[in-house]
Amino acid sequence: MFKGDKRSLARLLTYVENRHEDLLKIMAEVYSKGGHALVVGVTGPPGAGKSTLVDKMIRVLRGQGKKVGVLAIDPSSPFSGGAVLGDRIRMQDHNADEGVFIRSVGSRGAHGGLSRATRDMVMLLKAFGVDEIIIETVGVGQTELDIMSVADTTLVVLVPESGDTIQTMKAGLMEIADIFVVNKADREGADRIFNELIALSEMHPGDWSVPVMKTVAVKNDGINDGILEVIQQIQSHRTCKKEPHGYKASQHDAVQHCLDVFSSEMRSKLLMLFESAPPYSSIQKRLLENKINPYEAVSELLNLIKV
């Protein structure tokens, strides 16, 4: 199963998105395979040039001989729930490269723009021998905090025009940054936002001093576009995170992962029970008729499952 075949990987990723009936067994085997890929989250407001930045990052990483996986978390279609394929279209130059795998993933209304499937997809990419995984998120604002649970390093991408919104973003999106990137840095106002971010980064807690980088991702010559420097900072952050408490942190992550998977599976099973099992369908019917409130419904459900 895990021989680096892109077609097999694509099929398994579809199983994840569609919540295949054997998914728990499949992912248990995937988990045992491990993998040591670095996961980089790229987030920021719409129009910051995230997709162009990711495209350039792929080129640099491939130049270093690394296999790259990209999950582009797209706004879901309100009709089908599927992903809008804009990111795949923008990155189509890499489609013929066997060392690059790009997948668009519908957020399906998930809090923070990250679908429940994202963590499983990251594990699949790792098991297939990918060296670097990039997750580009929708960029919907403060709810992008969810990316912290998946990414090892988070890039917050801004542009000179973002300067007026720094103060309102500070309380949410800004706090997840491991690296600030001022993209389109050849525009007027780049120095101002750069200096504001420098001041903000100095308030970041912990041992890591959050760097502020300038990039011009649209440059075609690859010279002085700042992308290589961003990649170097990502590696520096990875080295910084390798501290003595890493094992304890991984134990906590495993427990959280278990809770996330359990809650997701229980929700899916409960939805099916609402449609098929009389005790549960009765609870749903009375909820819809406003005869009980959600808290009363939960109490009844807990009694049914003896918790």
Side-chain angles (χ1 to χ4, degrees):
M1 191 189 333
F2 306 101
K3 296 182 179 180
D5 176 57
K6 292 175 76 171
R7 189 169 297 177
S8 297
L9 174 57
R11 183 169 63 251
L12 287 173
L13 290 172
T14 299
Y15 284 176
V16 169
E17 280 200 286
N18 295 335
R19 314 310 295 174
H20 190 278
E21 60 183 359
D22 293 326
L23 186 60
L24 284 178
K25 294 179 181 179
I26 293 170
M27 292 310 302
E29 183 176 352
V30 170
Y31 194 91
S32 68
K33 298 296 180 181
H36 304 285
L38 173 68
V39 182
V40 180
V42 179
T43 189
K50 297 185 294 293
S51 294
T52 306
L53 181 70
V54 169
D55 178 70
K56 290 297 186 70
M57 289 172 65
I58 294 171
R59 295 180 190 278
V60 171
L61 291 168
R62 289 298 292 140
Q64 296 174 351
K66 296 179 179 179
K67 294 182 180 179
V68 183
V70 178
L71 298 177
I73 313 296
D74 290 330
S76 299
S77 162
F79 304 104
S80 66
V84 179
L85 301 183
D87 292 286
R88 295 178 75 182
I89 293 171
R90 286 191 289 273
M91 299 176 198
Q92 63 185 346
D93 290 345
H94 300 289
N95 285 349
D97 187 343
E98 287 298 316
V100 178
F101 187 93
I102 299 172
R103 177 82 171 205
S104 285
V105 185
S107 63
R108 305 188 183 200
H111 176 71
L114 288 178
S115 73
R116 294 177 300 169
T118 304
R119 190 190 292 272
D120 289 348
M121 290 185 168
V122 165
M123 289 175 56
L124 279 169
L125 287 167
K126 288 183 177 182
F128 271 78
V130 170
D131 300 306
E132 306 280 344
I133 300 170
I134 302 172
I135 305 174
E136 181 197 338
T137 72
V138 177
V140 293
Q142 295 186 6
T143 49
E144 292 298 287
L145 290 166
D146 282 358
I147 196 175
M148 295 178 69
S149 67
V150 183
D152 299 305
T153 301
T154 302
L155 273 60
V156 172
V157 184
L158 300 165
V159 288
E161 292 79 5
S162 305
D164 294 335
T165 63
I166 291 293
Q167 294 304 314
T168 58
M169 297 171 69
K170 185 190 301 184
L173 178 62
M174 306 299 287
E175 293 177 1
I176 75 171
D178 295 308
I179 299 171
F180 287 123
V181 177
V182 179
N183 194 26
K184 307 179 183 180
D186 53 343
R187 292 186 179 182
E188 184 179 352
D191 289 338
R192 179 168 65 91
I193 189 174
F194 180 83
N195 291 330
E196 289 180 9
L197 290 172
I198 288 288
L200 186 58
S201 68
E202 292 173 352
M203 297 186 292
H204 193 280
D207 298 330
W208 173 251
S209 179
V210 179
V212 183
M213 316 296 296
K214 289 183 179 181
T215 59
V216 185
V218 295
K219 292 187 70 170
N220 295 320
D221 55 13
I223 300 172
N224 297 324
D225 58 10
I227 308 299
L228 178 59
E229 289 76 11
V230 169
I231 299 292
Q232 291 169 341
Q233 286 291 351
I234 292 170
Q235 184 57 49
S236 295
H237 182 252
R238 185 182 201 181
T239 303
C240 178
K241 287 185 69 175
K242 291 180 179 178
E243 30 184 60
H245 301 296
Y247 177 66
K248 187 176 292 186
S250 67
Q251 289 177 312
H252 173 76
D253 290 344
V255 172
Q256 186 59 51
H257 193 170
C258 171
L259 292 172
D260 290 344
V261 173
F262 183 80
S263 62
S264 175
E265 292 296 321
M266 286 299 294
R267 185 178 187 276
S268 296
K269 291 186 183 301
L270 183 57
L271 288 171
M272 288 189 290
L273 288 169
F274 275 158
E275 299 300 325
S276 60
Y280 297 90
S281 58
S282 171
I283 294 173
Q284 183 187 41
K285 183 174 184 294
R286 285 182 289 132
L287 262 175
L288 293 172
E289 294 173 350
N290 290 321
K291 292 181 178 179
I292 57 173
N293 64 48
Y295 296 94
E296 292 169 327
V298 169
S299 294
E300 291 190 31
L301 288 169
L302 290 175
N303 286 330
L304 279 175
I305 61 177
K306 308 300 182 186
V307 174

